Amino acid sequence: MADRLHGLSTSSQRRSASAPISIPGGSRSSYTESSHGSPSRSQLSNEITGASSSIKESVNEASLDLTGLLQRSEPLVVKSRTGSVLSRGFILKTDHYPSGRALDLDLNVHGAPNFRAPRIRDFNVFGAAQPRTQGLRAILSILRCKPGTPNQSHVVWFSTREEPIVYISGRPFVLRDASEPRRTLSLSDRAENLEAIESRLKNDILQEAARYGGVILTHNEVATAKSGEGAILPTWTAVDHNNVKSSKELWEYMKTQGWNVDYYRIPISPDRPIEDNYLDAYVRVIRDTDPLKTSLVFSCGMGAVRTTFAMVAASLVRRKQLIALGMPDPYAGQLPHIGSASASSSGVNTWFIAFIIEPIVAFTPDKKGLRNENSQSAIELLMAQPALLEKLRKAHMGNYGVILSLLGCLDHGPRAKKLVDKIIDATDQVSNLREDILKYRLKYSLTSMDETHGKIFLQGAVKALEKYFFMIAFASYVDSLGYEFSQSFSDWLKDRTEIWNQIKFLRKSYGSRLNVFDPVNDLSSLSKSSFEARSLVPGKKNDVAIAGGRVLGDEYSNHVVKDRRGIILREGTLLKSDQWLRESSHVAHNVRGAINFRSISNTNIFALGQPTMAAINEVVAIVKEAHPSAPRIVWLTLREEPVVYINVQSFIV
């Protein structure tokens, strides 16, 4: 890290990043593999230096363009970069999320995806994805802070980005590892560190562009019709001192041009604890603004979860400010929201839960779905299991066990939850913080044991529940203090041991993590209902496919294991396929289902791993063919553990 991004403080390195960053001196397999071996860094540098030095020669000779130079240089540029930030193996990727844009917003702004306001518009609170320059101008014009506007308003812009961003010709670009171009590089949780990195990144861009006649190799992510992820294309982009700006420089430039906007960078990585002062950072800024004259705009990459979370928190503070000014409560007398105790428990919730479940029941990573022609729709599945439906209704209303325990620890806890639920429902155009818990929980229930998505879904559900928990606590904090907020939220939490005990329960790393989702801690019945229509990933050759078995939903599998009552196959024991694939070696007799089958030279002795039933027949046939005069075959098994065969496949306990 020190070689690559020198100058970062120790505190910025102590946090776990979304993507680990390696020292650039090491080789990168994605760039160095070739049939002739990997070129050294000095060789690559010499190639590029020689190519770039030919610019003047190309101009002085017959060629009138740099096309040939750029074509020769493109394969070498990324692996020979030598900047302090834009170094070897790093790329500049367009800050673009093809699958992250909401398409049903009331107002669409060019260059500013996901720009929206809460449906209760009295708060002057807004959210957006990372905007382009023209999108930023459009938002600020809509919010009436454009230079020359009569009675010009004031805007405070919060950015939660935790990675370096530079603007080239008005478009944002992010620094990414070329081997994982879609994975965020969380470099620091300190704004001053990120701004220093962006400044050095800008210098690297200008220096590299000077070597290629004023253009730099960037990588453009483009939307595709068939996939949620866009293709990433190497693209040459024009660069000069006037069209490259860091994030801080862009907002400072806007302010010098007369736009009445103030900019705050509050980096929030996915792993940053919510209690780690960033809610307090919002409060310190918002409390000094006039709710009637200042608009608040929050942005992150897609303008989704972090932005929505900040919009809900800001709405709570703004509501407090408006009431302090003698204005009516904007949420007083509102209709019951979907999560309120007075909402119908048999009508709207049922259809809404079915609406949530429907795409999840049809979900697989390959987008082929879980259904066949005989499987049930979501509403049929729910109506057939009334006990399951009631649990899902409670979860959809946010009535998780840990949340109800929190309400008992707070003054006016139910009132705080009711208010938070109303604000969440008013800001859910892109993401609903309460419903996200149930969505991720259901996705985890319906993922197969061999899918890596399961862990991601479970972590997503825990994180969503934690956000909901903290927002209710924050609402109680806002309600309990005066509008000057003399005590920080962090200190307020530290004074309440009973709340910290609940937080520890949420973050526990022992036992079943599903217990925090009570009443939907056990969805094995739903998992069992869905697995009937499942098939293995097409083309995937594994032991279950060989044995003709099924991959069950992970949660139903856990339920079966916990409910075992046998003498040998008892609670907590597994039947594992007896295939030692990692120990397989290349042998002369390659028999499917007979690992490491081989013979000892000049003998009639053979050896192999535990075979399948089909492999036994093939091995016997090979031995008979090799030794046709042998009167019999003696097979010695050296296994010290019970082995059973199910559907011709061997299994062990």
Side-chain angles (χ1 to χ4, degrees), residues 123-186:
F123 296 128
N124 293 318
V125 172
F126 303 87
Q130 186 76 32
R132 298 190 183 191
T133 300
Q134 69 267 36
L136 173 59
R137 292 176 181 271
I139 289 176
L140 297 181
S141 296
I142 292 170
L143 301 182
R144 300 184 63 254
C145 74
K146 182 179 180 180
T149 301
N151 299 318
Q152 186 182 27
S153 66
H154 177 227
V155 171
V156 174
W157 192 291
F158 297 88
S159 172
T160 65
R161 300 302 295 275
E162 78 282 25
E163 58 183 332
I165 303 169
V166 291
Y167 279 79
I168 302 177
S169 296
R171 185 169 190 177
F173 287 79
V174 291
L175 182 72
R176 293 292 167 86
D177 191 316
S179 62
E180 297 180 295
R182 294 184 177 87
R183 194 174 185 185
T184 300
L185 292 175
S186 300

Side-chain angles (χ1 to χ4, degrees), residues 380-416:
E380 290 172 333
L381 187 153
L382 290 173
M383 298 308 294
Q385 302 187 60
L388 170 65
L389 176 58
E390 186 58 31
K391 292 179 180 179
L392 293 172
R393 283 177 183 155
K394 291 179 180 178
H396 181 247
M397 294 165 63
N399 292 331
Y400 297 93
V402 67
I403 298 298
L404 298 180
S405 296
L406 171 65
L407 302 187
C409 298
L410 300 174
D411 295 332
H412 311 295
R415 185 175 70 185

Side-chain angles (χ1 to χ4, degrees), residues 552-563:
L552 288 85
D554 187 47
E555 190 158 343
Y556 183 62
S557 302
N558 291 336
H559 171 75
V560 171
V561 170
K562 289 190 296 183
D563 199 48

Side-chain angles (χ1 to χ4, degrees), residues 8 37 67 116 169 197 204 248 327 350 406 409 414 421 479 510 513 555 612:
L8 286 182
T67 303
R116 77 276 190 190
S169 296
I197 293 170
D204 291 345
K248 182 179 180 180
M327 302 183 68
T350 301
L406 171 65
C409 298
D421 284 334
D479 186 58
Y510 56 88
R513 298 195 70 186
E555 190 158 343
T612 64

Side-chain angles (χ1 to χ4, degrees), residues 21-274:
I21 301 175
S22 58
I23 303 299
S27 63
R28 289 180 173 272
S29 59
S30 58
Y31 287 93
T32 60
E33 291 180 359
S34 69
S35 59
H36 304 291
S38 302
S40 67
R41 181 166 181 161
S42 60
Q43 289 173 326
L44 293 172
S45 180
N46 290 337
E47 289 182 44
I48 290 297
T49 302
S52 60
S53 65
S54 65
I55 293 178
K56 292 184 179 180
E57 297 175 9
S58 300
V59 174
N60 292 333
E61 296 174 357
S63 177
L64 299 179
D65 62 74
L66 302 178
T67 303
L69 168 69
L70 299 182
Q71 288 175 343
R72 293 193 303 272
S73 302
E74 186 172 301
L76 306 172
V77 170
V78 174
K79 55 188 175 184
S80 65
R81 281 174 164 157
T82 58
S84 63
V85 178
L86 190 60
S87 56
R88 184 183 183 187
F90 279 92
I91 63 173
L92 281 175
K93 189 186 82 70
T94 51
D95 193 27
H96 180 56
Y97 299 87
S99 61
R101 182 162 188 164
L103 302 178
D104 56 351
L105 299 175
D106 296 333
L107 185 69
N108 291 293
V109 178
H110 180 68
N114 293 339
F115 175 66
R116 77 276 190 190
R119 296 183 182 89
I120 306 299
R121 299 182 181 273
D122 297 338
F123 296 128
N124 293 318
V125 172
F126 303 87
Q130 186 76 32
R132 298 190 183 191
T133 300
Q134 69 267 36
L136 173 59
R137 292 176 181 271
I139 289 176
L140 297 181
S141 296
I142 292 170
L143 301 182
R144 300 184 63 254
C145 74
K146 182 179 180 180
T149 301
N151 299 318
Q152 186 182 27
S153 66
H154 177 227
V155 171
V156 174
W157 192 291
F158 297 88
S159 172
T160 65
R161 300 302 295 275
E162 78 282 25
E163 58 183 332
I165 303 169
V166 291
Y167 279 79
I168 302 177
S169 296
R171 185 169 190 177
F173 287 79
V174 291
L175 182 72
R176 293 292 167 86
D177 191 316
S179 62
E180 297 180 295
R182 294 184 177 87
R183 194 174 185 185
T184 300
L185 292 175
S186 300
L187 299 184
S188 178
D189 59 2
R190 295 172 60 87
E192 54 269 31
N193 286 345
L194 286 172
E195 289 166 356
I197 293 170
E198 289 172 353
S199 179
R200 297 200 300 274
L201 177 58
K202 174 185 174 180
N203 292 334
D204 291 345
I205 292 170
L206 293 173
Q207 290 174 14
E208 184 173 309
R211 298 164 62 186
Y212 298 101
V215 294
I216 188 171
L217 184 65
T218 62
H219 286 72
N220 185 24
E221 185 172 5
V222 296
T224 57
K226 296 182 180 180
S227 172
E229 292 185 342
I232 298 179
L233 304 177
T235 307
W236 290 96
T237 303
V239 165
D240 59 48
H241 285 275
N242 296 320
N243 75 339
V244 182
K245 289 182 173 63
S246 67
S247 298
K248 182 179 180 180
E249 288 175 337
L250 174 62
W251 263 266
E252 288 178 345
Y253 173 78
M254 298 292 290
K255 194 170 183 66
T256 60
Q257 294 297 304
W259 298 83
N260 191 16
V261 58
D262 289 311
Y263 170 74
Y264 292 88
R265 184 80 170 264
I266 304 176
I268 302 173
S269 67
D271 297 325
R272 185 173 181 181
I274 297 175

Side-chain angles (χ1 to χ4, degrees), residues 500-512:
W500 272 110
N501 289 336
Q502 298 295 328
I503 295 172
K504 291 177 182 177
F505 175 71
L506 266 175
R507 295 174 176 171
K508 70 173 186 173
S509 58
Y510 56 88
S512 174

